[in-house]
Amino acid sequence: MSKFDRFKNNLTPLMLAIALTACGGGGGGGDDDSGGSTSVTLSGAASKGIIIGGLVRAYPVINGAVDTSNVLGQTTTGSDGTYNLTLSSGYSGPVVVRITPTTGTLMRCDLSGGCGSGVAFGQDYALTDSGFALNAVVPTGSSNISVNITVLTDVATQVALKDITMGGATSASDIQAAVTAANSKVANRFGVAGDLTKIAIVDITNPTAVAAAGQGGVKYNTLSAAIVQAVQGDSPGLSIEQAVAAFAEDFADGGIADKADTDGTKTTLQEILASTLDILNAAVAADESGNLDLGGLITIITAEESDVQNNGSTDESEGEASDTANATELAQAKAMVQEIRNLGTGMLLSTADRVSIEAFADQIAAATFATDDNLSEVLDVMAIALEQIAASYMAFAEDGSTDGSPIVTVNIVSGGASFTVNTTIEGVAVSLTATDLSTINVGDEVETPISGGTNTTQAISAQVNFSILGAVESSSVSLNVNSGSSVMVTLSYTSDEDDTASGGTSTTVQDEDLDLSNLSLGLNVTLAEKGVGNPVSFTGAMSATLSAFSADIDETDTQTSSTYEESWMESYTAGTFAMTLSGQFSNATDSFFASLALNANATGVTLSCEGSMSGGTSSETCTDENGSTYVDADATLIFKVTVNGVADAISVKLIVDRTGLESGQATLELKYGGVTLNAAVDSVAQTLTVTNQDGVTLSVAEGSDDKVTGTITNNGTQYATISEVSGVVLVRFSDGDFESF
């Protein structure tokens, strides 16, 4: 079975599980879950980063404007940025919660490059700019409301006030609807699920807090900081306070573009995602224990940045509000079931007019061509060829030798040399040329007399920089490396060899150490399948980095006139490896853009081999990964697909995370219009969890009796139960309505 077929078969149960096809509905009850209260309490936290001792005030929204003459309540934030205040009795309309500095207010720096004047990431500094303000806007109506205040809630506040004014909203219900829609739009634009004002504040400079938070919370809080960092990158003269205000004002005027069509000063989503990566890496670096693992989130953001850079729009957008943003929580729960049913129906229509589940799986499978086993074989051979080029290069750099490798041809060119491999390796045809643009420092061999022989040492260091051009082709896959491709790496090599002789026996003991760091590979490539029907091809960019790699090889050779014996010990370690692939996938019937990001962390993993050879017989024992020590890896794939019955193209994000030696978790996110569906499968726990943009969560599990049970909740409140009766899966809502799956 091909990899594509295996992938399709693995994906189909997941899609069928979330493609809920209802066969009936029940009666009873309404969906009004509202209540009333005479006292309203607001609580939350404020961060750009954490704001300590800030003045928090609540103001009413009257006719589309914030009435700052009427303070509904006020307090100050604590040492952790939290606050709690009670509104004046009698007011029940929309409220803007605003934080401003006062005497003694501090703000924690959460920018990766620091906050000026010697203030480093994680340090507190005095917030003295009287013009600084962060806002959040919420519709009131319940006794206790969570209102967290961030840069993104400030943006949503400006959008809400603009929409209220331009839309002519005057009634309390219209104003509240505009407030809720604004929060939903901004969340949608930045790929955040749930109500912006309810997402928990996380001190991203505190490794303990970050480790304890969920991935979504860390992403949201990092995005908030990254906005300011990106704006300052575009306009270095702006202070942090000015950057916050400038971005909110610009966004309210029409939103932001995915990427810039010119090198302008307006901040784009791509720039914000790039700053998000910088801040996440700063958070990891701030962890002195070295235990903070943000690799999965870094991979997701890397894929998102690559996607908007290569496939994004230059048109500005504020995002799209959820159609059910202003519905009751029960209605939102029902709407989520209907949305999943519509999506499933669109995939399972008749053959004549459907985009079938098989075709959908084929499209994802085509995008996973970049991780196919046949392609891995080609890449492995390309690595061997580059390794031989490196060996030839080292020999040439040392003494001008052109025979450092039997498969490499050296040609002298202006300013250096080019190294060409034109042969077949393990059945794969290779035609690669690397042109040297490197700097190398080759130390002299130092010979020192020792008892019975000579000790020889040598040290070599280099900043390797090659441009690469050529092709690698197997019977299954062809890989063309186009112009503009390069590889760069810093390396050091040391050799220590003892050669001795005694009584007709000569012995060589050699210790070689190779250290690579900052490996960077940038390739413009064309990949294509061969020998299959409707082959997949890819044209685009492939980049890879490896933070570190070390090899320690010890070898002892003993030789007499009639015998030869050899023993060796090899040890290999590596750091973090990251790869991105972005471009166009196509076959005879379809063409689409996709972005893939892969991250692997081998820190703490040592692979070793010990072997010997005597009398023509050899043996070797090697260690490998195990249950407690394995390479931590994750991947994210993003692309778009069209499904019948869904007006907008669906952005698909597939996330795979290795959680053990032979275990993992998969998450599938579908985003279209104002809808976001996130389906997570845990193969070990046998659970499926689907969440949406309104905070609705559907959770199902298969019990020991092979029956399905579950719940549907919204912001922590349960609105339905799921059970299996006589082979039929029933959803019973809290108002008495039901659906069957």
Side-chain angles (χ1 to χ4, degrees), residues 18 27 63 119 137 145 185 216 233 262 406 441 477-478 614 636 657 705 720:
I18 68 170
N63 296 325
V119 180
V137 60
I145 304 175
K185 280 198 292 187
T262 59
N441 180 22
V477 176
S478 65
S614 178
T636 299
D657 186 14
D705 58 356

Side-chain angles (χ1 to χ4, degrees), residues 132-148:
F132 174 80
L134 281 181
N135 300 276
V137 60
V138 291
T140 56
S142 60
S143 59
N144 296 292
I145 304 175
S146 173
V147 189
N148 293 314

Side-chain angles (χ1 to χ4, degrees), residues 426-447:
E426 298 180 359
V428 177
V430 181
S431 178
L432 282 178
T433 296
T435 303
D436 175 28
L437 302 170
S438 307
T439 301
I440 188 168
N441 180 22
V442 179
D444 294 332
E445 288 189 350
V446 179
E447 295 186 356

Side-chain angles (χ1 to χ4, degrees), residues 152 154-164 166 182 185-186 190 244-256 266 316-319:
L152 282 172
D154 189 67
V155 170
T157 301
Q158 303 309 316
V159 171
L161 296 176
K162 180 209 68 175
D163 289 349
I164 291 169
M166 295 185 66
K185 280 198 292 187
V186 174
F190 287 93
V244 171
F247 183 79
E249 182 179 349
D250 283 347
F251 191 97
D253 282 342
I256 59 172
K266 295 204 72 171
E316 293 182 346
S317 169
E318 292 181 347

Side-chain angles (χ1 to χ4, degrees), residues 465-537:
N465 183 357
F466 285 115
S467 63
I468 304 173
L469 186 67
V472 183
E473 186 171 351
S474 71
S475 59
S476 303
V477 176
S478 65
L479 165 62
N480 286 284
V481 181
N482 304 318
S483 60
S485 301
S486 64
V487 59
M488 293 181 287
V489 64
T490 300
L491 64 85
S492 64
Y493 168 84
T494 60
S495 174
D496 190 320
E497 181 178 312
D498 290 341
D499 292 298
T500 59
S502 176
T505 300
S506 61
T507 303
T508 299
V509 179
Q510 186 176 38
D511 177 15
E512 294 180 290
D513 294 302
L514 175 66
D515 293 298
L516 303 181
S517 62
N518 302 319
L519 172 66
S520 175
L521 179 68
L523 303 179
N524 295 316
V525 299
T526 302
L527 306 173
E529 283 188 297
K530 297 172 57 182
V532 297
N534 198 13
V536 176
S537 66

Side-chain angles (χ1 to χ4, degrees), residues 49-68:
I50 300 298
I51 300 174
I52 304 161
L55 179 62
V56 181
R57 286 176 171 168
Y59 303 105
V61 178
I62 307 296
N63 296 325
V66 182
D67 183 5
T68 57

Side-chain angles (χ1 to χ4, degrees), residues 49-396:
I50 300 298
I51 300 174
I52 304 161
L55 179 62
V56 181
R57 286 176 171 168
Y59 303 105
V61 178
I62 307 296
N63 296 325
V66 182
D67 183 5
T68 57
S69 67
N70 183 4
V71 179
L72 300 175
Q74 73 176 46
T75 187
T76 55
T77 57
S79 59
D80 58 355
T82 60
Y83 75 93
N84 187 291
L85 65 83
T86 300
L87 300 184
S88 304
S89 61
Y91 181 76
S92 59
V95 171
V96 165
V97 185
R98 176 174 296 169
I99 185 167
T100 56
T102 187
T103 303
T105 301
L106 300 175
M107 186 156 68
R108 191 156 299 151
C109 178
D110 57 2
L111 306 185
S112 63
C115 298
S117 302
V119 180
F121 182 80
Q123 292 183 337
D124 296 340
Y125 66 98
L127 182 57
T128 58
D129 187 340
S130 60
F132 174 80
L134 281 181
N135 300 276
V137 60
V138 291
T140 56
S142 60
S143 59
N144 296 292
I145 304 175
S146 173
V147 189
N148 293 314
I149 312 168
T150 67
V151 174
L152 282 172
T153 65
D154 189 67
V155 170
T157 301
Q158 303 309 316
V159 171
L161 296 176
K162 180 209 68 175
D163 289 349
I164 291 169
T165 301
M166 295 185 66
T170 55
S171 69
S173 60
D174 287 346
I175 292 174
Q176 297 221 32
V179 168
T180 304
N183 280 304
S184 180
K185 280 198 292 187
V186 174
N188 173 267
R189 186 66 182 103
F190 287 93
V192 176
D195 187 334
L196 293 178
T197 62
K198 291 183 172 63
I199 301 173
I201 295 297
V202 179
D203 181 359
I204 57 177
T205 71
N206 184 330
T208 302
V210 173
Q215 194 174 81
V218 176
K219 177 182 179 180
Y220 170 72
N221 284 269
T222 309
L223 278 169
S224 186
I227 288 171
V228 175
Q229 184 161 307
V231 172
Q232 287 188 317
D234 288 325
S235 303
L238 295 182
S239 68
I240 290 175
E241 295 77 11
Q242 291 169 331
V244 171
F247 183 79
E249 182 179 349
D250 283 347
F251 191 97
D253 282 342
I256 59 172
D258 289 336
K259 61 181 180 180
D261 54 358
T262 59
D263 189 18
T265 59
K266 295 204 72 171
T267 301
T268 65
L269 182 58
Q270 179 192 346
E271 291 170 327
I272 293 170
L273 292 173
S275 292
T276 301
L277 290 173
D278 291 338
I279 295 171
L280 289 173
N281 285 314
V284 173
D287 177 29
E288 295 180 355
S289 71
N291 295 325
L292 182 60
D293 181 10
L294 295 178
L297 181 56
I298 289 172
T299 303
I300 293 170
I301 302 299
T302 299
E304 290 177 348
E305 185 202 3
S306 177
D307 183 57
V308 297
Q309 178 183 5
N310 292 280
N311 310 318
S313 171
T314 57
D315 296 331
E316 293 182 346
S317 169
E318 292 181 347
E320 296 186 51
S322 168
D323 289 340
T324 49
N326 283 287
T328 65
E329 290 190 349
L330 175 59
Q332 288 174 339
K334 292 181 177 181
M336 177 188 182
V337 173
Q338 181 64 49
E339 193 67 52
I340 296 175
R341 181 188 302 115
N342 291 344
L343 182 64
T345 301
M347 289 183 175
L348 300 171
L349 293 173
S350 64
T351 303
D353 61 355
R354 71 176 178 172
V355 173
S356 69
I357 195 168
E358 289 84 5
F360 180 63
D362 282 343
Q363 189 163 355
I364 297 183
T368 62
F369 168 47
T371 61
D372 188 85
D373 291 340
N374 293 326
L375 177 58
S376 296
E377 177 189 20
V378 168
L379 293 176
D380 287 344
V381 169
M382 186 172 75
I384 292 172
L386 292 176
E387 187 179 75
Q388 290 298 305
I389 287 174
S392 180
Y393 164 73
M394 297 292 279
F396 178 79

